[in-house]
Amino acid sequence: MAMKLAATSAIRSFASSSGISGSSAFARCLHASAGSKKIVGVFYKANEYAAKNPNFLGCAEGALGIREWLESQGHQYIVTDDKEGPNCELEKHIPDLHVLISTPFHPAYVTEERIKRAKNLQLLLTAGVGSDHIDLKAAAAAGLTVAEVTGSNVVSVAEDELMRILILVRNFLPGYHQVITGEWNVAGIAYRAYDLEGKTVGTVGAGRIGRLLLQRLKPFNCNLLYHDRLKMDPELENQTGAKFEEDLDAMLPKCDIVVINTPLTEQTRGLFNKDKIAKMKKGVLIVNNARGAIMDTQAVVDACSSGQIGGYSGDVWYPQPAPKDHPWRYMPNQAMTPHISGTTIDAQLRYAAGVKDMLDRYFKGEEFPLQNYIVKEGKIASQYL
């Protein structure tokens, strides 16, 4: 069902997306010419955890499980976790790589400057979902293809969002901290612990993940709202019981819980600033597994400190990895983690298989599944415009 919806959405997206003009727009052909290709993968380092699970494919050591396959066909496969700064390992390979694979969990930021220096680059693949670490306009102007493994981790992220909602609503973390510090103070937890039933939950964005979350929330008997640029099909709307809210500012004051499920674009960057947060109920709970840069970092800190935000949970930060002095690490009433929601072992198996499939198609000169394209032939998928 999720993959079917993804395909339908992708057809709409590319049918309505606008092209990038300019003489260089189609300068680079997607399909691989004959001969060895240089493929660079950027993944997080697992160190001692790499050997603990044979299906741990999303780390640098696991390398998506495609090294033997690529090298048996004569291709060069370089894998690193070193992606930042002028002297990093990734920079050494920018001038002559053909394909760059990265993940949202340890993103290689592909800037316009890097694209200009990558003279052989043809294909940018995201192992997972979410390609905002790439300058998509620059990629389109350069005639690059950008693709991701659409649908590969949407279940993983939706389940994680539901978990975070419950953690915040039930005030779970103070109780956990009491246990590990040897305390026992029921009142210190119960004074702000609630049932999820009967609460109003609004999702900002009702794409693949947002719809799955709404489906999972229905049995909790919540009042479900959603804001999106597209209204759901009536059948799906009836199935979830969610009500469409065209005006985001009108929806926010109604919500006890707000979940961010919108892509990071020029329009959504910094969307939740001081003014937007002030429109919400005092004590609102916010879950954000979308992208950290959708939030104004300091506005979230201030609102958590004042009590305007009663609890904030998510796994996305800006930048990533988050520096040790990132203020979200130290603000009150937070339940933050590193970026983990979409990199479960199950998700890793799906996006590793998806990357291998697209590489195989690339070598054979075949098209990718339409829903996987983020940039194709100078056009950017509409959800990123």
Side-chain angles (χ1 to χ4, degrees):
M1 178 68 173
M3 295 303 290
K4 182 180 178 183
L5 290 168
T8 303
S9 175
I11 292 167
R12 272 202 308 257
S13 294
F14 274 98
S16 61
S17 63
S18 60
I20 303 294
S21 61
S23 60
S24 64
F26 305 106
R28 309 189 198 187
C29 178
L30 166 62
H31 303 314
S33 55
S36 174
K37 299 300 170 189
K38 183 173 184 177
I39 299 156
V40 176
V42 178
F43 313 111
Y44 55 82
K45 196 87 168 168
N47 299 311
E48 70 273 19
Y49 300 103
K52 292 182 180 291
N53 190 330
N55 291 324
F56 195 175
L57 301 182
C59 59
E61 294 86 346
L64 301 183
I66 57 176
R67 181 180 295 282
E68 184 178 341
W69 172 69
L70 286 172
E71 292 179 349
S72 71
Q73 299 187 57
H75 302 297
Q76 185 181 9
Y77 188 33
I78 307 294
V79 174
T80 182
D81 70 322
D82 185 17
K83 63 189 180 70
E84 303 292 344
N87 299 315
C88 70
E89 184 67 20
L90 174 59
E91 282 294 321
K92 300 175 186 176
H93 304 287
I94 290 292
D96 63 345
L97 58 79
H98 297 91
V99 179
L100 177 60
I101 308 169
S102 185
T103 76
F105 320 106
H106 189 73
Y109 292 104
V110 183
T111 61
E112 181 178 12
E113 190 272 335
R114 276 180 165 170
I115 288 171
K116 285 179 178 177
R117 290 194 296 106
K119 301 300 184 184
N120 292 339
L121 181 60
Q122 296 175 329
L123 177 61
L124 292 160
L125 291 178
T126 298
V129 177
S131 298
D132 49 87
H133 55 283
I134 299 166
D135 185 328
L136 298 178
K137 285 187 176 180
L144 301 178
T145 295
V146 180
E148 59 187 40
V149 191
T150 298
S152 60
N153 57 14
V154 293
V155 169
S156 313
V157 177
E159 287 184 359
D160 187 273
E161 288 178 341
L162 179 56
M163 174 190 73
R164 290 176 191 273
I165 290 170
L166 289 166
I167 283 172
L168 293 177
V169 169
R170 302 307 293 264
N171 204 24
F172 175 83
L173 278 184
Y176 170 73
H177 289 308
Q178 282 188 25
V179 169
I180 62 176
T181 58
E183 299 178 64
W184 188 280
N185 180 1
V186 174
I189 307 160
Y191 83 102
R192 49 177 293 170
Y194 297 89
D195 295 339
L196 180 53
E197 185 176 45
K199 302 300 182 291
T200 297
V201 184
T203 175
V204 182
R208 303 172 191 102
I209 296 169
R211 291 191 293 261
L212 287 172
L213 175 66
L214 291 170
Q215 289 169 345
R216 282 153 177 74
L217 282 168
K218 186 176 182 181
F220 286 88
N221 296 319
C222 302
N223 178 30
L224 300 177
L225 307 175
Y226 74 96
H227 169 79
D228 197 272
R229 60 192 177 87
L230 297 173
K231 199 172 186 294
M232 283 188 216
D233 293 334
E235 181 184 352
L236 189 58
E237 204 170 64
N238 290 334
Q239 196 181 92
T240 61
K243 179 186 174 186
F244 178 62
E245 294 278 345
E246 186 173 3
D247 186 344
L248 175 60
D249 287 346
M251 182 184 85
L252 293 177
K254 302 175 184 177
C255 297
D256 302 299
I257 302 153
V258 174
V259 186
I260 314 299
N261 276 312
T262 188
L264 176 62
T265 66
E266 291 180 9
Q267 288 70 38
T268 62
R269 185 178 297 274
L271 173 64
F272 285 87
N273 55 21
K274 180 180 179 180
D275 292 340
K276 194 71 75 178
I277 292 171
K279 296 179 187 295
M280 302 183 190
K281 285 185 180 180
K282 186 172 179 62
V284 66
L285 305 178
I286 299 177
V287 171
N288 178 18
N289 280 1
R291 288 296 181 264
I294 293 171
M295 316 300 292
D296 179 316
T297 298
Q298 191 57 47
V300 172
V301 174
D302 294 342
C304 283
S305 300
S306 71
Q308 175 62 22
I309 295 177
Y312 184 91
S313 185
D315 69 336
V316 288
W317 310 66
Y318 185 78
Q320 288 188 184
K324 290 184 178 180
D325 62 351
H326 195 294
W328 287 0
R329 292 181 183 267
Y330 309 105
M331 65 187 180
N333 302 321
Q334 57 91 357
M336 295 295 295
T337 67
H339 196 168
I340 57 168
S341 62
T343 188
T344 63
I345 296 298
D346 302 283
Q348 290 176 45
L349 291 170
R350 290 190 291 265
Y351 62 67
V355 167
K356 183 177 180 181
D357 175 69
M358 285 192 287
L359 285 173
D360 190 44
R361 291 169 184 258
Y362 163 68
F363 298 140
K364 294 175 179 177
E366 298 175 356
E367 292 286 305
F368 298 161
L370 182 60
Q371 67 268 21
N372 288 7
Y373 285 107
I374 302 302
V375 176
K376 181 186 181 187
E377 297 176 349
K379 293 183 179 180
I380 302 173
S382 62
Q383 68 264 34
Y384 281 98
L385 294 174

